[in-house]
Amino acid sequence: MNLQNHKNLIQENGFTIINNIFSEEEIERITDVIQNIDTSKETFRKSEDLFAIRQFLKEIPDVKDLIFTNNLKQIIKEIFGENYFVVKSIYFDKPEKSNWYVAYHQDLTISVDKKVELENFGPWTTKQNQFAVQPPLEILENIFTIRIHLDDTDENNGALKVVPKSHSKGIYRPETIDWNLEKENICNVEKGGVMIMKPLLLHGSNRTINGKKRRVIHIEFSDKQLPEVINWSERIN
């Protein structure tokens, strides 16, 4: 894989798409594990419009070896760098009948192990005993997100729409987007492909209109150490 081009695209536009990273068999093995889990735990969110698993890699350790194939490890090493580790993981299932859409936003929080008063960290939120905080900008700018697609995804079943280059403008309030200056890009990804993005990239998704599932594994990576009093809550090397 020649990944330098993708590295440049992420730097310039805030995202890139690389198809054919996982084979049909590899995707099938991953989905088999997910289908056989106990979904009664509180980190699992279930509704008609969404099924999500927070702390995905911690909740389903069996899936780790299936996800971190040689292909994916090569991407992490060559595009992100030698010392990157996992800091967050979520599984999203946007069901066939989903009316759920996501307005434009940036991913501005990180998951940490406790809540403490810290300069330049805040605001804080707590969900299901998990602590999220908005860290200083340089921590957010350092994160890469990989979205692994378990289904073909296009504008008809909730593909991400993004505003290219918005990742390099710091905190960017969606209501201030000037559509005379900015353009929207729909990110179609094939089953077994990945989308890599920077969390500060403005992104959203539309409702599903073609009756097809959209299942995505979302994993965030950083190589930054946090202030000593707190830890990344999901750190996996």
Side-chain angles (χ1 to χ4, degrees):
M1 284 191 287
N2 176 17
L3 296 173
Q4 187 56 47
N5 179 35
H6 289 289
K7 191 173 177 171
N8 297 343
L9 284 169
I10 297 167
Q11 222 164 351
E12 191 183 331
N13 293 326
F15 71 100
T16 191
I17 292 160
I18 317 177
N19 284 313
N20 303 312
I21 293 302
F22 292 87
S23 67
E24 279 282 336
E25 292 76 22
E26 286 168 335
I27 292 292
E28 210 160 295
R29 284 203 283 272
I30 292 169
T31 49
D32 281 352
V33 171
I34 294 169
Q35 272 157 4
N36 292 315
I37 53 178
D38 166 17
T39 58
S40 59
K41 292 187 186 165
E42 60 177 26
T43 39
F44 299 178
R45 238 181 91 192
K46 269 191 305 212
S47 72
E48 268 178 36
D49 274 345
L50 171 68
F51 173 56
I53 305 170
R54 293 177 189 284
Q55 300 206 9
F56 177 64
L57 294 172
K58 267 190 180 175
E59 291 289 354
I60 306 168
D62 294 354
V63 90
K64 219 178 311 172
D65 290 342
L66 302 176
I67 286 174
F68 290 99
T69 59
N70 290 336
N71 270 351
L72 201 71
K73 284 181 188 164
Q74 188 188 348
I75 285 174
I76 295 163
K77 197 166 125 185
E78 289 189 32
I79 295 183
F80 307 172
E82 290 282 349
N83 304 315
Y84 270 75
F85 46 85
V86 173
V87 295
K88 189 190 261 187
S89 60
I90 311 172
Y91 167 75
F92 289 110
D93 176 352
K94 197 169 192 177
E96 306 82 316
K97 299 186 174 63
S98 177
N99 275 325
W100 168 60
Y101 80 97
V102 180
Y104 268 110
H105 66 287
Q106 296 172 301
D107 292 339
L108 295 175
T109 64
I110 57 171
S111 297
V112 294
D113 60 344
K114 56 178 158 316
K115 182 176 177 178
V116 279
E117 284 304 315
L118 264 180
E119 205 180 336
N120 297 326
F121 281 75
W124 288 79
T125 53
T126 310
K127 267 187 206 158
Q128 298 160 325
N129 229 358
Q130 295 180 50
F131 304 98
V133 64
Q134 186 169 324
L137 202 56
E138 68 264 21
I139 291 178
L140 291 173
E141 287 174 339
N142 163 268
I143 292 173
F144 287 90
T145 301
I146 293 186
R147 293 169 57 92
I148 300 165
H149 283 252
L150 306 181
D151 301 290
D152 286 325
T153 307
D154 61 24
E155 68 276 11
N156 298 313
N157 66 333
L160 275 199
K161 46 186 190 175
V162 302
V163 179
K165 300 183 169 46
S166 53
H167 69 299
S168 57
K169 300 179 181 177
I171 306 293
Y172 191 149
R173 298 287 165 212
E175 60 276 14
T176 66
I177 300 173
D178 180 350
W179 289 111
N180 296 315
L181 302 175
E182 306 284 19
K183 62 179 198 299
E184 177 174 281
N185 199 95
I186 305 277
C187 300
N188 295 353
V189 187
E190 292 169 13
K191 176 181 179 175
V194 301
M195 174 178 176
I196 303 171
M197 60 180 273
K198 301 297 282 176
L200 292 174
L201 182 74
L202 279 165
H203 59 286
S205 69
N206 292 337
R207 296 180 169 86
T208 297
I209 53 175
N210 65 357
K212 289 187 177 159
K213 268 176 149 352
R214 187 209 77 178
R215 294 166 301 173
V216 170
I217 296 166
H218 168 119
I219 309 176
E220 296 175 19
F221 298 81
S222 175
D223 65 355
K224 284 248 191 273
Q225 303 307 324
L226 296 174
E228 276 177 12
V229 285
I230 54 170
N231 298 297
W232 298 99
S233 65
E234 291 180 60
R235 178 169 180 162
I236 298 169
N237 292 331

